[in-house]
Amino acid sequence: NAYKAIQRDSTPIANLNSDLDDIFIYDEITIKGTASGTTFIEYTVCYGEGIYPDGWTVIHTSSTPVTNDVLASWNPPSDLEEEICSIKLMVYDSEGQISEDQVVLLINRAPYAPDIIGPTNGKPGVDYNFTFVSNDINNDDIAEYIISWDDDTGDETIEGPFPSGIPQTTNHTWKSKGTYTIKAKAVDIYNAESDWATFDITIPRDKAINRPVLNFLQSYPNLFPLLQKLIQKLGFGL
Ligand code: CA
């Protein structure tokens, strides 16, 4: 490690735990190491995008020396543009000396919220196909799609892994009428979860609302003539 080579006994000690190097991270990580020295004043942990970052953002600064313990914790921001980030530790002393150490991390990115493809209306008791497809930002396989049908059946999981961007289809039947909001999310093989996507289906169609009256009249085609005869017999006329 070139950063360690510039350290001397009289200089502050900056040492990031080598376990951090090249690890794949998804959520918050604990950054461990040593920031100390006989003339120690403070240390700063920062991150930058890429292997040779153009700029650095401070994660944590402290005036308490640390020996082989927690220096900072870091949750990679969701708007990172690079899949690779560098973490840098800088240790300052009272002589104006600065020691530093640096590691490179691989940042896992979550899949995009899935597209949901299927009918927007239907009938109770009929099975309908729905297709779910998501792309993972760094092209990892999709481990599973998790689907909520907005009824009492609970979450359904389509288990993979599937290649990113390859559609998966399952079916569902709603027992009763209503408007249901289907929700789905994709999880990559490193357990990064997408946002929920939503899709509405209405069961049954709106124009079926008057069907009971139509059904009643169609079931009793002779009802009107019988009523007319009855009314005529009673002398009211029509
Ligand atoms: Ca990913």
Side-chain angles (χ1 to χ4, degrees):
N1 187 323
Y3 293 92
K4 286 171 189 164
I6 63 169
Q7 291 177 11
R8 299 289 183 271
D9 286 343
S10 58
T11 59
I13 298 165
N15 184 16
L16 288 168
N17 194 326
S18 59
D19 290 351
L20 287 169
D21 226 353
D22 289 335
I23 60 166
F24 227 107
I25 62 170
Y26 156 59
D27 52 13
E28 190 169 77
I29 58 162
T30 299
I31 299 168
K32 289 186 175 180
T34 296
S36 65
T38 52
T39 49
F40 172 91
I41 290 182
E42 67 172 14
Y43 73 84
T44 296
V45 179
C46 42
Y47 77 90
E49 296 196 47
I51 298 174
Y52 305 105
D54 292 332
W56 295 92
T57 302
V58 173
I59 298 169
H60 185 63
T61 294
S62 171
S63 57
T64 304
V66 173
T67 300
N68 198 23
D69 208 340
V70 176
L71 295 162
S73 58
W74 183 55
N75 208 350
S78 57
D79 60 353
L80 289 177
E81 290 176 5
E82 302 253 5
E83 293 164 30
I84 295 173
C85 271
S86 298
I87 298 284
K88 184 164 72 171
L89 167 66
M90 302 176 76
V91 182
Y92 303 86
D93 80 350
S94 58
E95 309 296 312
Q97 301 180 97
I98 305 168
S99 292
E100 52 182 72
D101 193 14
Q102 201 169 321
V103 291
V104 170
L105 304 173
L106 307 173
I107 312 292
N108 183 29
R109 312 306 302 280
Y112 291 106
D115 287 335
I116 304 174
I117 301 136
T120 55
N121 49 46
K123 297 173 182 175
V126 177
D127 223 7
Y128 293 104
N129 281 337
F130 289 88
T131 296
F132 304 85
V133 60
S134 178
N135 289 288
D136 187 70
I137 293 178
N138 48 320
N139 209 33
D140 297 321
D141 285 356
I142 304 296
E144 59 189 19
Y145 291 94
I146 298 171
I147 303 150
S148 162
W149 300 105
D150 197 18
D151 57 13
D152 60 3
T153 55
D155 285 355
E156 177 174 340
T157 301
I158 312 178
E159 292 198 32
F162 314 108
S164 173
I166 301 300
Q168 304 301 321
T169 298
T170 187
N171 50 11
H172 193 71
T173 304
W174 284 270
K175 288 177 192 148
S176 47
K177 66 182 180 180
T179 296
Y180 299 92
T181 300
I182 302 165
K183 292 199 304 174
K185 67 179 174 183
V187 184
D188 79 4
I189 53 172
Y190 299 105
N191 213 30
E193 296 185 4
S194 76
D195 291 334
W196 288 100
T198 61
F199 184 95
D200 286 349
I201 179 168
T202 301
I203 294 174
R205 291 167 188 265
D206 287 340
K207 64 181 173 186
I209 286 170
N210 291 324
R211 182 148 296 162
V213 177
L214 283 171
N215 287 348
F216 177 79
L217 292 174
Q218 283 165 356
S219 301
Y220 301 96
N222 297 321
L223 189 60
F224 267 148
L226 282 172
L227 275 173
Q228 285 173 358
K229 280 178 186 169
L230 182 63
I231 289 164
Q232 281 166 0
K233 273 189 180 175
L234 292 169
F236 292 109
L238 268 179

